[in-house]
Amino acid sequence: MTTYGSFPGTRPRRLRTTPVMRRMVAETRLHPADLILPAFVREGVREPVPITAMPGVVQHTRDTLKKAAAEAVEAGVSGIMLFGVPEEEKKDALGTAGTDPDGILQVALRDVRAEVGDDLLVMSDLCLDEFTDHGHCGVLDAEGRVDNDATLERYAEMAQVQADAGAHVVGPSGMMDGQIGVIRDALDQIGREDVAVLAYTAKYASAFYGPFREAVGSSLKGDRKTYQQDAANVRESMRELALDLAEGADMVMVKPAGPYLDILAKVAEAVDVPVAAYQISGEYSMIEAAAEKGWIDRDRAILETLTGIKRAGARNILTYWATEVARTLR
């Protein structure tokens, strides 16, 4: 004889019975407006250049970049983060192409603003690594070390030219001490209080940046461990967060996203400003490569990783799948 009291009275599976039920009780939802598209524009090319290590991603021409921006608007994406790839002969020790009003990044900013106006947040990577012949994010001293304060002077100039070129948001990614305060002051000095600063608050020295180096034609020799954060540290991120907020950051970011969801959750819990996370090149490439091998379901894996990043606390996510996923969500 069956003893019914021995069966569970509470059955969480009842809330998983159908797709509609699961959708209704979902605690985390992705939306196209959550997404920001990182995009690369390369100087001197007539056709988009495929990035071997990032299948489906290209170095854009000026024209194809404008098209990608328009497609992002149509899909409902909130922003586009631009990275400039100059001609190799224009790189130098100071990264002067990065502050040239006619440099590729500034030209691209003007192009995209002319194409989309205020329908898409036009965001600009504020860093020297794409433009230096040594590949570091700053100016080097006589002993080959990154000179923090000399680099800040370059960042201030870079912020001003990017604002003049049309950036709604600048994203200083170099991890120099004091960079947010210097950039905020530089923008305010030219009357650009309207330009927001997205702080790369917790940017770790990660092995997952590998494909990005190809994407920007990096000239880096060595590593960036003296200025990017150590993967072993948590409290260090919270210290960086406090400094960035005190210096005037409008938004903060954790990069990479997937390997640092614990950091993302701590940052999101601690602040009342928008928190972003960057699903970086290596995260993208791993999924694309595994899917190509038939080892995982590509589309499900993409949505699962993005949902995990959102669940951990990201208000916005930079992802190379932004436009594709936004179309799917709509």
Side-chain angles (χ1 to χ4, degrees):
M1 183 175 178
T2 301
T3 304
Y4 294 101
S6 65
F7 290 96
T10 301
R11 295 181 182 269
R13 286 183 56 191
R14 295 190 189 109
L15 300 183
R16 305 172 194 153
T17 52
T18 68
V20 173
M21 176 68 82
R22 292 191 293 273
R23 184 181 68 192
M24 185 185 75
V25 302
E27 299 172 34
T28 305
R29 299 182 193 277
L30 287 171
H31 188 277
D34 299 334
L35 305 176
I36 297 167
L37 176 68
F40 309 99
V41 57
R42 180 169 170 176
E43 188 172 23
V45 295
R46 296 185 177 182
E47 298 291 336
V49 179
I51 300 168
T52 305
M54 299 177 69
V57 180
V58 301
Q59 295 171 327
H60 284 286
T61 69
R62 289 173 61 186
D63 286 339
T64 63
L65 177 64
K66 290 188 289 185
K67 181 180 178 183
E71 290 172 348
V73 171
E74 186 176 357
V77 170
S78 284
I80 185 168
M81 175 66 81
L82 301 185
F83 297 85
V85 184
E87 294 177 317
E88 194 67 27
E89 61 269 21
K90 293 186 179 178
K91 295 182 180 182
D92 61 23
L94 297 178
T96 53
T99 51
D100 180 354
D102 295 319
I104 182 59
L105 184 51
Q106 282 67 252
V107 169
L109 285 166
R110 291 194 291 269
D111 285 344
V112 174
R113 276 303 298 272
E115 182 73 22
V116 301
D118 292 332
D119 293 337
L120 186 70
L121 282 176
V122 180
M123 312 169 87
S124 186
D125 179 59
L126 200 165
C127 195
L128 293 171
D129 60 323
E130 297 101 310
F131 306 102
T132 54
D133 55 12
H134 47 73
H136 277 286
C137 296
V139 178
L140 303 185
D141 64 17
E143 297 182 21
R145 301 170 301 189
V146 175
D147 186 325
N148 191 93
D149 294 0
T151 299
L152 293 181
E153 294 181 11
R154 300 287 294 122
Y155 285 3
E157 184 180 356
M158 201 171 192
Q160 291 176 341
V161 297
Q162 289 182 356
D164 286 342
H168 293 103
V169 180
V170 295
S173 58
M175 291 299 289
M176 296 298 119
D177 294 339
Q179 63 183 14
I180 302 303
V182 166
I183 288 166
R184 183 70 270 160
D185 287 346
L187 291 168
D188 292 351
Q189 285 172 16
I190 61 168
R192 296 309 306 270
E193 296 88 352
D194 58 319
V195 175
V197 179
L198 168 60
Y200 282 59
T201 291
K203 183 179 179 182
Y204 283 86
S206 173
F208 292 97
Y209 294 133
F212 181 88
R213 305 266 168 85
E214 178 190 346
V216 297
S218 175
S219 303
L220 180 67
K221 302 295 188 295
D223 58 51
R224 299 185 173 121
K225 293 181 179 179
T226 64
Y227 46 102
Q228 294 178 354
Q229 288 180 228
D230 189 326
N233 293 347
V234 177
R235 286 192 295 271
E236 184 179 40
S237 293
M238 305 311 289
R239 186 183 185 199
E240 294 276 6
L241 175 64
L243 290 167
D244 283 351
L245 293 174
E247 291 172 25
D250 299 290
M251 299 172 276
V252 297
M253 183 157 69
V254 174
K255 179 181 181 181
Y260 297 92
L261 295 180
D262 60 326
I263 307 300
L264 176 59
K266 286 181 179 293
V267 169
E269 181 69 23
V271 303
D272 57 4
V273 300
V275 177
Y278 197 147
Q279 186 182 52
I280 66 169
S281 59
E283 298 175 75
Y284 173 94
S285 296
M286 285 192 301
I287 289 176
E288 291 288 352
E292 184 181 1
K293 291 284 190 180
W295 294 339
I296 61 173
D297 182 318
R298 175 186 180 275
D299 294 347
R300 286 184 60 196
I302 291 169
L303 289 175
E304 185 175 339
T305 56
L306 291 173
T307 299
I309 296 166
K310 181 77 181 289
R311 188 184 63 242
R315 176 84 60 85
N316 298 106
I317 305 170
L318 286 80
T319 176
Y320 298 98
W321 291 301
T323 300
E324 175 188 342
V325 169
R327 287 170 174 161
T328 299
L329 295 174
R330 295 186 77 176

